[in-house]
Amino acid sequence: MSGKLKKRFMKKIIIIAIFLLFILTAALVLKFIIPGFSLSIPFVYNTRSSSSDIILKEINKVSTLSTVEYIYKSVFPFDFYEKDTDWRILLSKRTKGDKLTKLEIENLWLFDECQTIGINLIYQTYDFVVITSIVEAGMNIGEFIDPEDIKIEGKSVTLRMPETIITNFTIEDSDSTSYNYPDLNVDPLNWKKITNYVEEKIKLKVIEDGVLKTAEKRGQDFIESILIDSGWDNIIFVQ
Amino acid sequence: MKQKILYKYFLILFQIFLLSTCEQSTSFSKPVIENQIRGLLNLPTVEFVYRDIIYVGQEARFFGIKHLDKKLLFSVDLIIDAGIDLTKGIEIRNLQDGGIQISLSEPEILKVDADEGSIHQFFVKEWGGKVSRLDYYDEIVKSKNSIKIDAVERNILLKAKKNTEDIIIKLFSVYGITNVSFMWRALSVR
């Protein structure tokens, strides 16, 4: 390369450099003068969250805390039939071959099962078995809130909450150290029949007793607490 | 010479430019975050609901003749809450590595309540003696103590600790801080 060409090349470089310097300086001046002016470039992440995104994050914080554990003891057979059930009438209906309702069929199954383990329901009985079940209830994380379930008006937030469901159900095995009641001779086969029978009924009973409502209220209390601390004035929960 | 100065000026300006494009992590104020922690931990972090079955059986014989046979079976609902006693204080410390250390007292059982309106009697047998109202209450007090032990065996305190840590870690993550450690102060024996 001749000296003349080299000089012309260097001149071009300097002009480009001055041009770039001018742009950089202008950008920096704008950045510091104009509030909110952003110098985002593709390889630098700059995230801005909307209010509903922030609320979602806040709710996520408390989702696990809404869980309620219910240690539910039930008494077999007393918890599983109505006190005023007339066993004699039921038995005679069966003997006569009368049409039985679903409830009557279930009651007769219960009666027979009790006979097998030595409880006669026709007479006043003081024999029973205590069954311990663990029921966990909490927010249905599967259908968790998305931004459309959040409405913001000024300082007020309306939330459509996910439903609360039973997340876990188990019937505990008891041993002689943890069972503090008179023992009744029930063999493993009958025990299995009894626990199978009571499982659905216990689930329905704990829902009736309000375990889902307790979990829902707990979740709402936590969400309300965290959102009010974050500066919201009014939190409304809708289904 | 001129070119060298220009080159250096260019480099410095470019570095300033790059630095200014990086967003600073949100700063947080200790009193604000402490209030948020207090607000959340004010609620018990774990709640167990019990339906307990209480059985009272008393039998007495004199020369082989039964003269007392009392039997009582009833259910009662109880609620047990575990969490952090905030009156024992929260400390938030900045660590040298940029992390945060939270010092809290160990979780404890905050409340055991029996709902007397939930009592449901299955049967009562009073032969040779009556079952009094006080008998019920004595048994409920005993039940409160036994479910406290049962709840601890079911790891209520461990769950309370885990929930507390989870919630604080998630709270700090909003501020861009992921290095959060905990110092648990042992409960003083009363």
Side-chain angles (χ1 to χ4, degrees):
Chain A
M1 204 182 274
S2 72
K4 216 175 183 184
L5 269 176
K6 207 176 174 185
K7 252 187 181 175
R8 203 180 282 170
F9 180 68
M10 284 313 292
K11 217 174 180 180
K12 266 187 186 171
I13 294 275
I14 287 167
I15 288 167
I16 291 169
I18 289 170
F19 180 67
L20 277 174
L21 278 174
F22 175 75
I23 289 178
L24 282 177
T25 315
L28 280 174
V29 167
L30 284 173
K31 161 90 182 170
F32 293 113
I33 291 176
I34 303 171
F37 182 81
S38 173
L39 293 175
S40 311
I41 45 175
F43 48 88
V44 177
Y45 292 100
N46 176 23
T47 51
R48 187 177 294 167
S49 307
S50 68
S51 295
S52 47
D53 284 341
I54 292 167
I55 292 171
L56 268 183
K57 275 186 194 164
E58 306 269 316
I59 292 169
N60 179 38
K61 275 183 222 162
V62 295
S63 57
T64 48
L65 296 176
S66 73
T67 306
V68 170
E69 208 164 313
Y70 201 170
I71 294 102
Y72 188 89
K73 288 185 180 177
S74 39
V75 184
F76 183 86
F78 304 122
D79 263 324
F80 301 97
Y81 67 86
E82 292 297 322
K83 236 179 176 177
D84 56 359
T85 307
D86 193 327
W87 299 105
R88 284 191 172 90
I89 289 178
L90 259 183
L91 289 168
S92 108
K93 270 179 104 175
R94 179 164 70 180
T95 317
K96 282 190 222 158
D98 288 354
K99 201 177 174 208
L100 299 164
T101 64
K102 195 182 166 221
L103 180 69
E104 286 171 333
I105 295 166
E106 277 186 10
N107 278 343
L108 283 167
W109 182 91
L110 185 85
F111 181 87
D112 293 339
E113 193 53 37
C114 285
Q115 293 275 83
T116 317
I117 61 170
I119 299 172
N120 191 343
L121 290 175
I122 287 182
Y123 306 106
Q124 167 76 61
T125 179
Y126 300 105
D127 294 325
F128 61 92
V129 185
V130 172
I131 301 162
T132 305
S133 13
I134 315 295
V135 187
E136 281 173 34
M139 281 186 202
N140 186 2
I141 307 293
E143 60 149 58
F144 212 63
I145 311 182
D146 60 56
E148 284 144 41
D149 298 324
I150 301 168
K151 280 189 193 139
I152 299 166
E153 280 169 24
K155 286 266 183 188
S156 176
V157 183
T158 306
L159 292 168
R160 193 195 68 81
M161 297 289 290
E163 61 165 352
T164 42
I165 52 164
I166 289 180
T167 51
N168 189 28
F169 181 89
T170 42
I171 289 181
E172 267 189 358
D173 293 325
S174 308
D175 56 40
S176 56
T177 53
S178 61
Y179 192 78
N180 304 313
Y181 307 96
D183 197 11
L184 200 66
N185 200 11
V186 185
D187 62 46
L189 184 72
N190 279 309
W191 178 247
K192 193 167 166 42
K193 275 159 78 179
I194 290 170
T195 52
N196 282 346
Y197 175 76
V198 300
E199 191 175 319
E200 273 312 303
K201 295 196 178 301
I202 293 172
K203 275 186 195 167
L204 290 174
K205 187 78 177 67
V206 293
I207 291 171
E208 205 178 282
D209 281 3
V211 70
L212 298 182
K213 286 213 166 82
T214 309
E216 186 182 274
K217 192 181 175 302
R218 217 175 127 69
Q220 289 181 355
D221 285 350
F222 270 109
I223 289 169
E224 197 170 68
S225 160
I226 200 164
L227 291 182
I228 283 180
D229 275 340
S230 306
W232 300 95
D233 283 344
N234 189 23
I235 320 298
I236 302 158
F237 297 99
V238 289
Q239 286 301 315
Chain B
M1 189 67 183
K2 253 185 186 176
Q3 283 168 10
K4 263 190 182 173
I5 292 168
L6 205 65
Y7 181 66
K8 271 184 188 167
Y9 178 62
F10 183 80
L11 267 184
I12 291 165
L13 208 64
F14 194 65
Q15 278 170 359
I16 295 171
F17 178 81
L18 278 183
L19 282 174
S20 67
T21 57
C22 300
E23 294 291 315
Q24 261 188 326
S25 64
T26 321
S27 61
F28 71 93
S29 109
K30 271 188 194 172
V32 169
I33 207 154
E34 190 181 316
N35 267 346
Q36 284 196 330
I37 295 174
R38 279 184 183 277
L40 280 171
L41 298 185
N42 226 353
L43 297 160
T45 53
V46 181
E47 183 167 282
F48 282 4
V49 183
Y50 277 78
R51 187 212 196 206
D52 201 15
I53 304 293
I54 298 171
Y55 175 73
V56 185
Q58 242 183 315
E59 257 190 48
R61 285 171 190 270
F62 186 70
F63 287 110
I65 301 161
K66 196 194 280 183
H67 64 91
L68 177 73
D69 189 2
K70 278 200 322 189
K71 283 186 174 81
L72 171 67
L73 186 71
F74 67 97
S75 69
V76 63
D77 292 349
L78 302 109
I79 289 180
I80 182 160
D81 286 341
I84 311 296
D85 181 355
L86 294 171
T87 58
K88 291 175 182 160
I90 304 173
E91 273 175 52
I92 303 172
R93 286 202 308 138
N94 292 81
L95 299 177
Q96 281 184 339
D97 59 3
I100 297 287
Q101 189 187 59
I102 313 285
S103 166
L104 287 164
S105 71
E106 286 275 354
E108 53 194 292
I109 304 285
L110 300 174
K111 186 182 87 178
V112 187
D113 267 355
D115 173 10
E116 277 139 27
S118 70
I119 293 175
H120 172 79
Q121 186 185 290
F122 296 102
F123 61 67
V124 61
K125 186 181 189 185
E126 297 169 308
W127 199 82
K130 287 261 174 209
V131 176
S132 74
R133 190 178 55 86
L134 289 176
D135 288 335
Y136 276 91
Y137 289 112
D138 286 350
E139 291 305 322
I140 290 171
V141 170
K142 279 187 210 162
S143 166
K144 278 184 177 181
N145 292 331
S146 68
I147 72 150
K148 221 168 159 175
I149 296 166
D150 185 79
V152 172
E153 283 171 358
R154 291 180 194 275
N155 294 325
I156 193 168
L157 298 178
L158 282 177
K159 285 178 185 176
K161 189 185 256 187
K162 195 190 165 295
N163 281 352
T164 305
E165 289 183 353
D166 280 356
I167 199 164
I168 292 176
I169 287 169
K170 281 175 184 169
L171 192 66
F172 274 99
S173 72
V174 173
Y175 297 92
I177 297 162
T178 50
N179 183 5
V180 182
S181 57
F182 293 87
M183 199 176 87
W184 293 99
R185 297 191 302 268
L187 298 172
S188 51
V189 183
R190 282 176 211 171

